[in-house]
Structures are given as C-alpha cells and as structure tokens.
Amino acid sequence: MAISLAGQPLSVTENKFYSAYNPIQFRFSSGVSTCKRMKLFIYVGSSIINTNSPIIQDEDFTAGSVVANTFTFDISKIIDNYVTEDFQTINSKPYFEGANSHIRVGVKATEVLEDASTKVLSDGASLDLGANYIEVLNTALQYTDLQNSNTSSPYHAFATFELGADTRRFLTNMPFGTNSALVYNKMREDESKYLSFINPDLSLEEADLKVITYNSSGSVIAHHRITMNTVFTTPLRRVDVAVGLGNFDNLVSGDMSGGTSETILTSATVKYTCGIIDGDGDYISQLVGFKVDRDYKDYNLRFHWLNRLGGIDSFTFYGSNKRSHSSKKSFYNKNLDYAYSIGDTYKTVMQSKSNNSFEAWTDIISEDHRVWLEELLSSPSVTIQSGTDYIPIIVNDMDITTISYDDNVFQVKIEYSFSYENVIQYA
C-alpha cells in the first residue's frame, strides 16, 4: 500500500499563502506496518535543498501513545532562511516583483522501513509533491492574526491581504484608516514609497493603479490610471507598487492607461488617494491616502524598514537630529632608550575602533503613528535614505514623549548607529 498525504497546507491552486515564521505542517501515512520512520525532502522553487540531509521523523506520539505509521513534519524553521526582503530602487516606477519576499515550496516524503528480524533499515515508497507547491511569504503573523483566521479556515490567514475587494489590505503597515475615513500620511514631493500586495488570481488579466488627486477645497482635480496589467499576465504573486510623489515624477505617457496625463502632481494638488482596480475599474484593494507636504523643514531624515507583514514601511523624521562619535584604543607601551629618535614613542596605538551614533526626533504625531513606529525598534532590517541610496542601520533604543494627553499626540526619539564600524588605519 502506497504512502499517502494525511494532512497538508492547502495547495496554491486554492490560493493559499503561508507565513515562513508560523508552523507549516505536512502529515503523511504509510500503509506498511514496518514503516517506523519517514524522510522528508524540501523543494524551494524546482530544486531540493536538503538532498543529502533529509528530515527524519519518528511516528507521531499523542495522548500517551504512538499513532502508528503517521508522520508529521513542520518545515517552517528551515524555509524561513530562504526568504528576505526587497528594498526597491528609490523613486523607480511603477511596480516590481517582490522576488526575495516570496518563495514556492514543495515536499517529497519517503518511507523508511525496518526489517522485523534484522532491524536493517531501507527505503520504501515515495510521494513527490514538488509540483504541488505552496506559496510562502516573508511575513510574521501575530497570534491574534492566526486566531482570527482559524475561525473560518486554518490555512487562510492571508485572506485579508489578497486582492479581490475594496476591503483587502496592503502588506505595507502604516496607518491608512478605512476607505470611508482615510488617514492622509505626509508625502514630500521628492519622496519614494511602495505598497506591497498579494495577487491570488493568476487568471486576472488586467489591473491598474488608480490615483485621484484633490485640491484644497476637497474637489477632484484628475483621475489617473497607471498601467499594471503585466503584473497579472506574467504572472507575479507578490508585488510592490510605487505610490510616492518621487516615483510619479518619473512616469511617462506610456505608463498611463487612463486619466489626463502622466503629470500627477500639480501646484494645486493637496492630497491624493491610491488603490488597485480591475479591468472594470472596481477597486480590488483598500484605498490609501497621502497629503502633499510642501513645508520646508530644517531637518528631514527618511527611514525605511521591513515590517512584520513583509512589506517595507517608510517614514520621515522631521524633528532635530544629533550625531555623536566614540573611539576605543588599545596600546603597546615600551621603555625608551637615552638615544631615542623623534619617531620613537613610549605609547603606541596598536588598534582603534571608531563608531558614530545618532538620535532623531519626529515632529508631533498621533497615537496610531506612535504605535506603528514601534516596529522600527524590532525590525531586523532598517535603513536611512541618503540621496538615492539606502544606508543600513541598527536602531538601539526608542523614547516616547507625551506632548498632550488631551489631544493624544506624541513625539518619538530613536537612537541608532550604522550597521558597520568606521574604517580606520592601523599604526
């Protein structure tokens, strides 16, 4: 009797996605009584990553007894090493595949049979599910997220992030409010911003980014439709779309499939909204809002970081900033002869280490933004923007000052350093 699949994550044909940091379990059964162990090989893409080191599992054990010929594997701790993040080129346009944030995973199980008399082990039947891959995202779902999803389906935790309705969320995690009560986040004319989303429907032939601009009276200036249809015909599963004013500044007429022109920002533009629409013009994602920030600031420092959902969040600190420098030296001491020369020294620097540290303050922000910025402290990948470059940093501490309890507004200070030491000379 052949090996069979007793339980699994649902396949990609059912539009299911999985977090690399939450359990991803496969359960297999064998019809052979001498099968006492089972080996598991893991595909990432089309290649097996552990050919010479399969996972070997004993029979399941539950409620004080062995569940004969049944084997459960959790592969999450292995495949989470194969997903990272995508910091897209600053001010590029209009969309990109989040290739590093998403992988396809399959498995192959092989029986390990035990001879009853000699106790010699040998391979038995195999079940290869490499072509029946699942989609794994660089996303760390919280327990509350999983609990809410389990009420309807244990394998559909990403339902609210998959394109298909105007309630579907972006993986980008900044405060956006609701479609009926948008939070308009600040956007400078030269800033870059990307929204990340999941495309579950590879049969969807056309979808675009719709941008609506408004004047100071709240009246619509223009509707713009930025072409994105190749996202769905290629196809791409995990996508980053550019929505910053710096990104829009690089659009040309060929990027537009509707609207007045490729020029989105005008002198009259005060705010704008963005959302993904299908071929009929219906929104298949949430709406997000931005207000144009034309106020000159003495300080502005833009941070980009990997959030828990696997998207890249961005925020500009408009408050003051501070730079500090520290160095540490090790010395070699020697006694000098009476006939020493000008180049001889009693104390010689053998090694020196040098670091720069920084502090940055936000302007006055809301409670929603304060809570959102806490991810800066926990994110494993944070950068600051310098021109068109990303500079990796380590956020060491965060301090929050309450400006007004009545108005519920705050100011956040972070302390950070570069993720590398200064390069220095040796004596």
Side-chain angles (χ1 to χ4, degrees):
M1 185 175 178
I3 184 174
S4 61
L5 186 65
Q8 65 165 339
L10 302 183
S11 71
V12 70
T13 56
E14 295 171 290
N15 300 330
K16 307 305 177 188
F17 295 81
Y18 298 86
S19 163
Y21 302 96
N22 298 102
I24 303 176
Q25 294 183 341
F26 289 84
R27 182 176 295 110
F28 295 92
S29 294
S30 170
V32 181
S33 60
T34 55
C35 180
K36 302 301 181 184
R37 294 180 179 85
M38 190 168 287
K39 296 189 293 188
L40 190 77
F41 301 90
I42 302 173
Y43 288 88
V44 173
S46 59
S47 302
I48 293 177
I49 60 174
N50 62 333
T51 301
N52 298 320
S53 55
I55 305 173
I56 301 177
Q57 186 76 2
D58 292 326
E59 293 169 305
D60 287 357
F61 187 87
T62 183
S65 61
V66 173
V67 182
N69 311 123
T70 302
F71 307 85
T72 301
F73 298 86
D74 181 2
I75 65 173
S76 60
K77 294 302 181 183
I78 295 177
I79 62 174
D80 63 13
N81 296 300
Y82 288 82
V83 287
T84 55
E85 69 276 354
D86 296 274
F87 283 94
Q88 304 295 359
T89 302
I90 293 171
N91 287 345
S92 288
K93 52 86 180 180
Y95 57 86
F96 305 86
E97 180 179 11
N100 297 314
S101 303
H102 157 249
I103 57 174
R104 288 174 170 174
V105 175
V107 295
K108 174 185 175 182
T110 301
E111 296 170 329
V112 179
L113 308 179
E114 180 182 273
D115 186 284
S117 57
T118 65
K119 304 300 181 183
V120 173
L121 301 178
S122 62
D123 286 352
S126 292
L127 180 61
D128 194 333
L129 299 174
N132 298 56
Y133 52 77
I134 63 172
E135 308 283 353
V136 179
L137 302 171
N138 185 26
T139 298
L141 293 175
Q142 304 306 301
Y143 292 110
T144 51
D145 298 327
L146 293 171
Q147 184 65 36
N148 292 335
S149 68
N150 286 343
T151 59
S152 57
S153 169
Y155 301 115
H156 208 178
F158 287 98
T160 57
F161 300 99
E162 299 172 6
L163 289 185
D166 63 5
T167 57
R168 302 302 172 86
R169 295 173 52 195
F170 289 105
L171 295 172
T172 316
N173 203 27
M174 63 192 305
F176 289 127
T178 63
N179 289 351
S180 59
L182 289 180
V183 173
Y184 287 87
N185 296 275
K186 293 181 180 180
M187 180 65 63
R188 287 165 54 92
E189 296 177 60
D190 60 346
E191 285 183 340
S192 182
K193 175 68 181 175
Y194 295 90
L195 299 176
S196 303
F197 64 84
I198 301 170
N199 172 29
D201 186 0
L202 299 187
S203 66
L204 189 63
E205 296 181 353
E206 183 179 1
D208 294 325
L209 175 68
K210 184 175 182 179
V211 180
I212 304 177
T213 54
Y214 298 86
N215 61 23
S216 58
S217 300
S219 300
V220 173
I221 298 175
H223 292 247
H224 303 271
R225 187 164 175 161
I226 302 172
T227 303
M228 289 181 56
N229 58 298
T230 53
V231 169
F232 303 94
T233 56
T234 303
L236 303 179
R237 285 287 188 185
R238 166 68 171 70
V239 183
D240 296 331
V241 58
V243 297
L245 292 175
N247 306 104
F248 292 159
D249 190 48
N250 291 314
L251 294 173
V252 296
S253 57
D255 295 321
M256 313 296 286
S257 60
T260 54
S261 72
E262 68 274 14
T263 303
I264 292 178
L265 177 65
T266 68
S267 59
T269 306
V270 170
K271 62 182 180 180
Y272 63 97
T273 61
C274 300
I276 309 298
I277 57 174
D278 61 17
D280 296 325
D282 297 323
Y283 283 106
I284 53 177
S285 78
Q286 69 178 126
L287 273 177
V288 299
F290 299 95
K291 61 181 178 182
V292 182
D293 182 13
R294 293 186 172 92
D295 294 334
Y296 176 81
K297 306 290 196 306
D298 290 332
Y299 303 96
N300 59 83
L301 185 62
R302 191 155 179 82
F303 290 79
H304 306 270
W305 67 95
L306 175 68
N307 70 25
R308 296 186 184 111
L309 296 173
I312 301 299
D313 284 351
S314 304
F315 187 76
T316 301
F317 279 53
Y318 289 117
S320 61
N321 55 67
K322 177 182 176 182
R323 176 187 177 114
S324 302
H325 177 81
S326 64
S327 62
K328 183 178 181 181
K329 299 178 177 68
S330 58
F331 302 97
Y332 168 68
N333 297 332
K334 68 175 181 179
N335 292 325
L336 297 179
D337 190 273
Y338 283 109
Y340 70 89
S341 64
I342 194 66
D344 293 333
T345 61
Y346 165 73
K347 197 173 191 179
T348 302
V349 176
M350 297 299 295
Q351 186 183 37
S352 179
K353 292 187 176 182
S354 172
N355 288 284
N356 294 319
S357 58
F358 306 86
E359 295 179 358
W361 283 261
T362 67
D363 56 356
I364 307 306
I365 60 174
S366 66
E367 169 73 1
D368 288 342
H369 283 85
R370 182 195 68 79
V371 173
W372 168 58
L373 288 176
E374 289 178 1
E375 282 197 341
L376 258 175
L377 191 60
S378 60
S379 174
S381 184
V382 184
T383 68
I384 57 172
Q385 183 175 328
S386 177
T388 57
D389 296 323
Y390 294 106
I391 300 177
I393 63 169
I394 303 297
V395 178
N396 301 309
D397 198 10
M398 176 179 288
D399 184 64
I400 299 166
T401 301
T402 302
I403 303 300
S404 170
Y405 286 107
D406 294 334
D407 297 324
N408 206 27
V409 291
F410 307 84
Q411 187 175 36
V412 172
K413 180 191 76 173
I414 64 169
E415 299 175 9
Y416 68 95
S417 56
F418 294 135
S419 61
Y420 50 85
E421 292 183 344
N422 293 330
V423 179
I424 56 177
Q425 299 156 319
Y426 284 90

